[in-house]
Structures are given as C-alpha cells and as structure tokens.
Amino acid sequence: MRTNTLPAPPHAFQRIYVWELPIRFYHWLNALCILTLIVTGFIIANPPAINNGSEAAFSYWFGTTRFIHFAAAYIFVFNLLVRIYWGFVGNQYANWKNFLPLRRAQYREIFTVLRVDILETSNKVIVAIGHNALAYLTYTVLFLVSLFQVASGFALYAKMSHWWLPQLFTWMLPLFGGDASLRNWHHFATWFFIVFTIIHVYLVFYHDYVEGHGVISSMAGGWKFLPTRHREAVQGKSWFTVGKASPPHPGRPGPPP
Amino acid sequence: METIAKTAAVAAPDQQTVYEQMVSRGVSRREFLKFCGWISACMGLGTEGMAQVANALENKRRIPVVWMHFQECTCCSESFLRSSHPIVADILLDKISLDYTETLLAASGHQAEACLQDTITKYKGEYLLCVEGSVPTGADGAYCCIGGRSAEAILTEVAEGAKAVIAWGNCACSGCVQAAKPNPTGATPIHRLIAGKPVVNVQGCPPIAEVMAGVLVHLLTFDRIPQLDALGRPKAFYSRRVHDTCYRRPNYDAGLFVESFDDDNARKGFCLYKMGCRGPTTYNSCGTIRWNGGVSFPIQSGHGCIGCSESNFWDNGPFYTRLTSFPGFGIETTADRIGMVAGVATVAGVAAHAVLTNIRKHDEIGEQPGESAAAAPPPPAVKPEDKGGTQP
C-alpha cells in the first residue's frame, strides 16, 4: 500500500484539549442568539414598511418577529446560566477564577498583552493556553453587559408575561426612570455586542495568523496546538490551582516519607 | 365655580355623610347608586365592591381635604372639574372634599391662610393632602411662594399632620415640564420631599378625571391607600400599558404602520408606533376609560401617545420619533448614531491594526527557522495518520 510522505516537522507541536464540548456548544449557541437578537431587535426598533394591503387580522409578521426576539432571549439566558455553571465544574481554562483579575500575575499579563498584541511595541511570546488575561477580562465585561441586557429585557418584557421570572426584574424600570428610557438603554447596549463582535472576530483571525496555534479551529474541535518549545512556560504557568493535584496512582508507591 | 365657592365658604358640613350631602343637593337614590356602580367599575371592583362603595358613601363622614397648588398649570383641577359625571365635580370636589384649595377658595389673603391653619390643626392626622404641582427647591424656594412662604415650607408643614398624600399629575409625581433638563428651578416631585407618609402618585398630564375620582372614592371606601406599582401609581389604573389596551394594537402585531401623518396608512388608522407613539412605554388607562366621558383619546384622534404619565417624558423626546435622544450626548443624538460612530471607528481601528500587524510582526508571521522546504533536512517518512495527541 502506498503511503504519502511528509517532510519532518521543523518543530514539534503539543495538542492540548482546551475547550470542552459544553463550552463550544455554548459559544456557538450564544453567537447565534446574539445575531438573532441584534437583527430582530433592530427590526423591532424600526420596522420596515411591509404593508401588504390586507387587513390586520390576516398578518402577524411583526408579532412573529417579536416572538423570535423573546424566544432567542430566553435561550440566551439559559445558555448563559449553563456557562456560569460550567465555570465551576469545567476544566481550568473555563474556570470562573480566570475572569476575575484578582492576582498580580493577571495584571502583569494584561499589560504584556497590551504591549504585544494591541500596541505591538514588543514581540515577546505570550503563552496562553486558554484566553490571555486581557481576553478573560473582556469576557467579564461582555458577561456584565449580557446581564444588563437580560435584566433590562426582562423588565421591559414583564408586562407581557405572567411568569414569575421576568417579574423579578421590574425593579429596573424605576431605577432607569420608566420603560422609555430603559428601552433606550437596552437599545444602546446592543451596540456593545456589535462592536465586541467586530473586535472579537478580528482578534481570533489575528491570533491564528500571528501565533499559528489554531485558535479559530479550537472553537470547533476544542484542540489548540502549542509548540513544545513553550512547554515549560506552559506547565509552569498558572494563576491559581483548580481543585487538588491529581492523587498518586493507587498501585504506585507514594513518595518516601 | 360660584356655587362651589359659596358652599365651601358657608358650610361646616363635616358631620354629614357624602350621601346626605348628595341628597341635600337633590341627587336621587337611583342616581347615587348609578354613580356607585360606575365609579367602582372604573376602579376595577366587582359587584360586591359596588355595595362597599355605596355603604361607605352612605355611612362614613367626609374626609377633610387640603388641596395645595404649587408649580403647575391647574390642568389636574380642570380635568377633575370636567369629569363627565356630575357627581364627581359637584359632590366629591365641592362637598366632601375641599377645606382649602387656592383655586376655588372664596376667601383670600390672610383669611385663606387662616382657613388652612384651622383645618390642619382641627383635623390633625385625619385630613387628606392633595398636591398639584412640583416644589421648586432652587434659590431657597423663591420660585414659588404663597403668603410669603416657600412651597417647600408649606408642604412640610401641611404634610406633617396628613393621613395620606395624593400627588396629582405629572408635576407632583415627577416634575413634568418644569423638571425637564436643565430644571432651572430645581422642581422636585412630592414623594421626594415627604418621608414617612404614604404618597399616591396619580400620574398623567393631567390625570383622567375618572381616575382621580376613583382614587378618592377608594380612600373613602376602604380607608387605606390603593395597591401601588413600583412608581407609586395605583395599580387599578396604571398597571397596563396604553399599547396593550389600544384598539389599534392588531395593526402593530400585523406590522401595519403609519409612516407619515398624511399618508394613506394614517387614514386607514394603522399603528402610530413609527410616528413615535409612546403607548408601548406608557402606563395609563387612556385606552380603556378614555377622555371626556369616553369620547376619545389621543391615539383615536390620530396622534401618538406622548407618554404623559411617565417620568421625564419631556426629556424622552423628540415626540415624533421612535428612537429618542440618548442621555449625555446632546439633543437628537440617538443610541444608533452613537453606536454607528463607535462601529465605524472600531472597523477603522481593526483595519489599521491589521496593517500594523503585518509590519511589526512581519518576522513572527513569516517562515520560522527550519520551516523552509529548502533548508529542511532530508525528510524521514511520516505517515499522515500517525498524529499523536501528545508528543514527547
């Protein structure tokens, strides 16, 4: 049987399973929900003139658009809750502690990333298996804005629902001075998602292009590829420890006392 | 007006019940019961509620009412007086209610102020305080003085012994037009100035007469304030949006919108959503009780709701566009304009960054040492399927 031959790899890569299935699923469902919510949201804010000349009783397209918006919003919320849950049970790259910059090492990395990837005044190699510290912080902001959209959305929706869940957020209305101004804020926050998406998509292309670690495909298959020459940096690097170190194998004798 | 003033000045009818006063004014039993049924329907009560109302009006003594006018246009009083139901104006306002109100009082000057002092000392802890208008707190209250005293000083004094406070209209509830930016007089809603008293916010500019009457009758009948929403408005009248009770609502769901006030769609009576109608964000009873005895309401007359029962409705403009100005960015700057500028700036920034990357990271991105096919050592055979998860 004929076998193809490839040239020897100039440097070895280590394949690391970074994004577990629930994270990938969350990511793409979230992206789909955000896209749907933005599109239907803008239609609701300024509906196009589709006057088909029939009586109101024979058409319901605007009601359907709003229904899609509300349904997508519910999926968005529960998806977000699953992600929060996974921050407690998932692997170290998904852990909630990454998202809070509480350690000095995280701040150091944030400034390094700003120099290397944003201002490009340095070509230092940053080894980040999950996200880098700045990216985690950005996702924290995204998470907070998402919470605002959820809370303001439910507050505006509460009058159309008999379920208790949306009613939990009606305190937003007096806080923002009524429905009209809260709706305005809800609309405004949508633009955050648009700007975020532009930067996010650009940066994954950027990282894939510059670093060649397979960032784009990692959100499909979960694997990232790190050169083994960074192996030591990778192994030594941790802002915190997740759980306990794996216990010694029962069949193997422990370290001498 | 004259008869009202006369009776207010002459009588001390505080031992009479409302019903007795009605009878003395020539109201028949039948008319009285009709009124009870009508007002309890307005309040959203059932049939047994109507009996409670009738019972209260027959047996309870009047509530002494002090009705203060501060920074306002008196449209709330006007609305109340123009109620389609004669009993509202004649009986509720004229007889049971007013011990003191600047607009309708026969007395003037020192006599009027003495009248106020009498009421608040004699009925301390019992009287109902109705306030029309906001209180300007700027310039030590100099913008609104009555009898040489600032509105705030008067309000504090009168609220002290009040059983409950009713804030009539948008001025008293949230400051209305005089509190619109930049609020030069420091107009302040009543509930922010009174602590420890229940304040009922009867919103609207003005509130619907039937709503005002309903709140008064509720207080008289049940001796407690009605259920209020988070903004202090009685739920019976302010729990639903104008949008949800609007007869044009089916056009909204069907996506049939007026695009301009003189287009064919406007003549067909389509939804005024795109004309800036505030119905979807406004809580009021206009769609059900309507105005002038149920004749019409703004949307029925072809004009969108301007949201007059909501706080800051003057600042949530312009009235004729759906998306309003965004706070902090100047007049007529919408969230969309801000967002579009931010979006374009981001795309430009990202494009510039991409160019920069290709310059600054040229060496990183290009071929790494040892990757050139020419420089590669002679290739040992590697099977493509032999892809180990971890390499040594």
Side-chain angles (χ1 to χ4, degrees):
Chain A
M1 188 180 156
R2 188 175 159 266
T3 54
N4 292 324
T5 56
L6 292 171
H11 24 235
F13 280 85
Q14 181 176 10
R15 197 163 76 120
I16 304 170
Y17 189 58
V18 180
W19 306 127
E20 297 154 292
L21 183 63
I23 293 290
R24 277 133 59 202
F25 189 75
Y26 157 78
H27 174 271
W28 292 112
L29 190 57
N30 197 39
L32 185 68
C33 285
I34 289 174
L35 182 69
T36 310
L37 287 166
I38 288 174
V39 171
T40 54
F42 276 114
I43 292 174
I44 291 166
N46 188 19
I50 308 174
N51 291 331
N52 53 16
S54 68
E55 289 288 323
F58 301 110
S59 175
Y60 197 72
W61 77 261
F62 197 61
T64 308
T65 308
R66 291 171 65 243
F67 172 79
I68 294 168
H69 190 79
F70 302 143
Y74 269 117
I75 297 169
F76 177 77
V77 171
F78 290 114
N79 196 33
L80 201 60
L81 292 178
V82 169
R83 178 63 186 87
I84 293 169
Y85 168 73
W86 204 255
F88 291 92
V89 302
N91 68 13
Q92 57 175 309
Y93 312 112
N95 193 276
W96 64 274
K97 287 181 189 164
N98 291 301
F99 293 86
L100 303 176
L102 299 176
R103 285 161 192 79
R104 186 175 287 178
Q106 283 166 287
Y107 280 101
R108 272 205 298 272
E109 187 169 300
I110 287 173
F111 287 113
T112 312
V113 171
L114 281 174
R115 279 204 308 278
V116 173
D117 290 325
I118 307 301
L119 303 173
E120 303 194 347
T121 56
S122 159
N123 277 344
K124 196 181 164 204
V125 172
I126 298 172
V127 181
I129 309 175
H131 306 298
N132 64 49
L134 182 61
Y136 275 121
L137 185 63
T138 314
Y139 295 129
T140 307
V141 176
L142 178 73
F143 174 73
L144 292 175
V145 179
S146 299
L147 279 191
F148 172 78
Q149 286 298 71
V150 167
S152 57
F154 272 139
L156 293 168
Y157 176 73
K159 275 293 153 197
M160 300 166 231
S161 169
H162 294 291
W163 197 27
W164 54 266
L165 181 69
Q167 315 300 329
L168 294 179
F169 296 91
T170 48
W171 52 269
M172 292 285 282
L173 295 170
L175 191 66
F176 281 80
D179 287 42
S181 59
L182 186 61
R183 182 156 304 204
N184 213 357
W185 279 96
H186 189 74
H187 188 116
F188 182 61
T190 304
W191 282 98
F192 173 85
F193 289 88
I194 296 168
V195 170
F196 173 87
T197 307
I198 296 169
I199 299 173
H200 174 75
V201 172
Y202 169 72
L203 280 179
V204 290
F205 275 79
Y206 164 88
H207 280 288
D208 210 317
Y209 179 54
V210 173
E211 296 169 349
H213 296 168
V215 181
I216 295 178
S217 72
S218 75
M219 207 35 86
W223 298 91
K224 276 193 183 180
F225 304 89
L226 265 80
T228 44
R229 61 194 152 104
H230 297 322
R231 192 179 163 87
E232 277 175 29
V234 168
Q235 280 180 336
K237 181 190 159 169
S238 183
W239 297 315
F240 56 89
T241 47
V242 177
K244 290 175 189 166
S246 51
H249 194 273
R252 202 180 295 163
Chain B
M1 183 82 85
E2 203 180 306
T3 50
I4 290 166
K6 252 185 225 156
T7 43
V10 171
D14 46 319
Q15 296 308 315
Q16 280 182 306
T17 66
V18 181
Y19 177 61
E20 282 164 359
Q21 290 187 335
M22 285 182 180
V23 171
S24 73
R25 287 273 294 200
V27 173
S28 71
R29 176 81 188 161
R30 183 183 174 82
E31 272 177 278
F32 168 72
L33 287 177
K34 266 168 73 179
F35 169 75
C36 293
W38 171 80
I39 199 78
S40 47
C42 274
M43 290 155 69
L45 302 173
T47 40
E48 74 280 13
M50 180 210 153
Q52 272 178 290
V53 170
N55 192 34
L57 296 181
E58 276 174 325
N59 297 314
K60 286 194 184 165
R61 277 188 350 177
R62 67 196 273 278
I63 315 175
V65 172
V66 173
W67 186 309
M68 306 301 297
H69 296 258
F70 297 130
Q71 208 177 19
E72 46 92 5
C73 72
T74 317
C75 74
C76 304
S77 294
E78 286 288 339
S79 170
F80 197 62
L81 290 168
R82 279 169 189 10
S83 163
S84 61
H85 206 289
I87 289 179
V88 172
D90 280 5
I91 305 302
L92 289 181
L93 187 64
D94 165 11
K95 289 278 184 89
I96 68 156
S97 299
L98 297 176
D99 286 57
Y100 176 88
T101 177
E102 284 96 344
T103 314
L104 303 175
L105 209 57
S108 64
H110 293 297
Q111 284 178 317
E113 297 312 306
C115 195
L116 174 63
Q117 289 302 327
D118 278 356
T119 309
I120 65 174
T121 36
K122 191 173 167 193
Y123 299 110
K124 195 169 170 51
E126 288 172 45
Y127 64 89
L128 189 64
L129 172 61
C130 296
V131 185
E132 205 177 330
S134 58
V135 171
T137 53
D140 288 329
Y143 294 111
C144 180
C145 290
I146 301 161
R149 299 175 63 212
S150 74
E152 191 174 357
I154 298 170
L155 177 71
T156 312
E157 187 195 6
V158 177
E160 177 74 34
K163 191 179 187 181
V165 182
I166 300 181
W168 290 137
N170 202 302
C171 294
C173 298
S174 54
C176 206
V177 70
Q178 61 272 28
K181 285 187 187 75
N183 192 359
T185 63
T188 312
I190 302 308
H191 65 88
R192 292 238 204 98
L193 297 169
I194 295 177
K197 299 272 176 208
V199 178
V200 183
N201 284 334
V202 183
Q203 266 280 23
C205 186
I208 303 171
E210 284 78 356
V211 170
M212 299 172 79
V215 171
L216 281 177
V217 171
H218 188 286
L219 285 161
L220 187 66
T221 306
F222 300 109
D223 275 330
R224 56 188 147 89
I225 57 165
Q227 264 199 318
L228 304 178
D229 70 3
L231 295 165
R233 300 175 294 196
K235 277 187 176 172
F237 305 107
Y238 296 94
S239 65
R240 280 187 296 172
R241 302 177 305 169
V242 172
H243 190 53
D244 293 329
T245 51
C246 180
Y247 78 103
R248 296 196 184 197
R249 177 61 189 262
N251 296 290
Y252 171 83
D253 289 325
L256 300 173
F257 300 110
V258 174
E259 301 274 334
S260 139
F261 276 122
D262 54 2
D263 68 2
D264 195 38
N265 299 341
R267 281 187 284 278
K268 283 178 183 162
F270 286 175
C271 175
L272 292 158
Y273 181 74
K274 290 181 81 175
M275 302 309 297
C277 179
R278 299 288 188 269
T281 53
T282 304
Y283 296 82
N284 209 337
S285 301
C286 299
T288 46
I289 296 176
R290 305 196 182 183
W291 287 82
N292 302 319
V295 170
S296 182
F297 70 115
I299 296 167
Q300 193 172 343
S301 307
H303 186 287
C305 166
I306 61 170
C308 77
S309 58
E310 293 292 315
S311 300
N312 308 322
F313 75 103
W314 293 101
D315 287 329
N316 289 336
F319 285 148
Y320 299 106
T321 60
R322 176 76 206 126
L323 191 62
T324 57
S325 316
F326 196 76
F329 285 87
I331 289 174
E332 316 238 328
T333 306
T334 61
D336 277 347
R337 182 165 301 182
I338 301 163
M340 259 180 256
V341 168
V344 168
T346 309
V347 170
V350 154
H353 194 270
V355 172
L356 184 70
T357 301
N358 278 297
I359 299 166
R360 303 294 297 245
K361 305 248 180 224
H362 185 263
D363 295 341
E364 312 286 302
I365 298 161
E367 230 165 45
Q368 298 298 307
E371 281 183 341
S372 165
V382 175
K383 289 174 191 164
E385 58 269 19
D386 182 26
K387 41 170 188 177
T390 51
Q391 300 220 3

